Amino acid sequence: MELLDGQLVSRTIKEGLRLKVAQLTAEGRKVPHLAAVLVGNNGASETYVGAKVKACAEIGFKSTLVRLDDDISENKLLGIIDDLNDDPDVDGILVQLPLPKHISDEKVINTIHPSKDVDGFHPVNVGKMVQGLPTFISATPHGILLMLEHYKINTKGKHAVVVGRSNIVGRPMSILLSSNTPTGNCTVTICHSHTHNLAEICRQADIIVAALGRPEFVKADMVKEGAIVIDVGITRVPDSTRKSGFALKGDVKFDEVAPRCSYITPVPGGVGPMTIAALMKNTFLACEERNGATQI
Ligand code: GUN
């Protein structure tokens, strides 16, 4: 069993970007600028956005964190996004999800200009991704592909089972793994809350992507010997032995599943850091597209 070390791969990708940004700076060119919008004070969202802003600083990107109260009106938020769309210095915009109930995710996502949608959530970018056209690929599936690429994992002809059908992870992941690309060409089964015989389907998988958000859902008896297991879940579960009061759990029961796998991602330190690396790559690309491909 080999661990897929997201920390390590993420550091390598960020270091590559840092060198490119240093070159831009040396040539007196514009550096990428990410605007992150955080509504309310959801603890997990605070952590994720904090990590994104920190990664920008490490690489040398400019970042702006727009913090908004959770009772902000939908119209006001849409106006703020419009201003970021119109700001020529901003290359990428992300609005951290989930949003408060009174705000429509769909309206917010549709308001971000596709050329600045570094999360790859806008329907125009999703459509391009489905058709295999160049676009921003949403950060979590993109990060997983970068990890498969780094470890030279051959996906061709493999049976991939994606558990979860969210717009952010499961659905794009299923499309990308089935696409005709070096990290695709899988036969994909997508499972969800209405799937019959889920355990039996998982047992047939060469690759399992667990992205359903239920701590330790995937057990050893659901995993074929030698399978590759990618754990996207990261749930805070109460743990009074820790100072923070919680522990982070993946969607895979790591201790019992890991010995059966050829490769597995840990939680934390697997998919999470790769999501950030992929977002940084998308932001660099957005800057490049806006300012001319001669940037690098
Ligand atoms: N919430 C959970 N994952 C993500 C993500 O990749 N981007 C944004 N904006 N919000 C999220």
Side-chain angles (χ1 to χ4, degrees):
M1 183 275 290
E2 190 175 347
L3 268 189
L4 297 170
D5 186 344
Q7 286 284 9
L8 179 90
V9 183
S10 164
R11 259 203 305 277
T12 308
I13 291 169
K14 287 190 294 184
E15 179 57 15
L17 290 171
R18 194 184 66 76
L19 294 174
K20 285 181 176 178
V21 173
Q23 193 181 332
L24 293 180
T25 307
E27 291 168 3
R29 294 173 189 245
K30 181 189 178 319
V31 300
H33 179 183
L34 176 69
V37 180
L38 176 61
V39 183
N41 36 30
N42 174 302
S45 292
E46 295 250 5
T47 305
Y48 299 145
V49 171
K52 291 170 186 180
V53 168
K54 181 165 165 258
C56 285
E58 284 166 9
I59 296 169
F61 289 1
K62 185 172 168 185
S63 70
T64 301
L65 173 56
V66 183
R67 278 181 165 277
L68 302 168
D69 291 335
D70 62 0
D71 60 354
I72 188 171
S73 72
E74 185 179 86
N75 266 343
K76 193 138 185 233
L77 176 59
L78 298 181
I80 288 167
I81 295 169
D82 275 333
D83 291 345
L84 294 170
N85 282 335
D86 292 342
D87 184 339
D89 193 58
V90 170
D91 299 299
I93 303 169
L94 78 84
V95 179
Q96 190 65 27
L97 303 176
L99 288 166
K101 294 246 175 323
H102 66 282
I103 298 175
S104 151
D105 288 5
E106 190 188 336
K107 279 192 197 161
V108 166
I109 289 167
N110 287 350
T111 302
I112 300 172
H113 193 278
S115 68
K116 295 193 177 187
D117 167 40
V118 285
D119 262 329
F121 293 166
H122 192 287
V124 165
N125 290 327
V126 176
K128 287 183 180 176
M129 182 271 295
V130 170
Q131 294 191 343
L133 300 170
T135 188
F136 301 118
I137 295 170
S138 60
T140 302
H142 188 186
I144 292 169
L145 297 186
L146 291 170
M147 180 128 74
L148 296 173
E149 188 180 287
H150 178 93
Y151 282 92
K152 299 188 170 53
I153 291 174
N154 181 16
T155 53
K156 196 167 159 182
K158 300 256 167 79
H159 182 201
V161 172
V162 178
V163 189
R165 57 179 162 185
S166 70
N167 285 340
I168 294 182
V169 186
R171 204 177 296 271
M173 192 76 252
S174 66
I175 304 284
L176 293 161
L177 286 171
S178 68
S179 298
N180 187 2
T181 60
T183 48
N185 286 314
C186 291
T187 302
V188 178
T189 303
I190 183 158
C191 297
H192 47 75
S193 48
H194 293 277
T195 298
H196 294 304
N197 306 327
L198 194 145
E200 197 181 308
I201 294 167
C202 285
R203 271 194 295 276
Q204 294 165 21
D206 303 307
I207 302 172
I208 297 179
V209 180
L212 69 160
R214 282 176 56 182
E216 302 187 323
F217 179 85
V218 177
K219 312 277 195 299
D221 64 358
M222 296 165 71
V223 178
K224 178 167 84 176
E225 194 71 43
I228 298 158
V229 174
I230 311 288
D231 189 350
V232 181
I234 184 151
T235 306
R236 290 178 170 197
V237 297
D239 183 343
S240 57
T241 68
R242 290 172 192 256
K243 216 168 82 186
S244 63
F246 63 83
L248 296 173
K249 293 273 180 215
D251 286 351
V252 176
K253 203 159 172 40
F254 184 89
D255 291 350
E256 63 174 60
V257 170
R260 299 182 69 79
C261 300
S262 54
Y263 295 94
I264 185 167
T265 59
V267 176
V271 172
M274 291 308 302
T275 297
I276 306 237
L279 176 71
M280 297 298 117
K281 267 182 96 86
N282 282 355
T283 305
F284 190 89
L285 181 68
C287 177
E288 210 180 10
E289 293 281 315
R290 294 173 57 70
N291 298 286
T294 50
Q295 280 262 57
I296 46 170

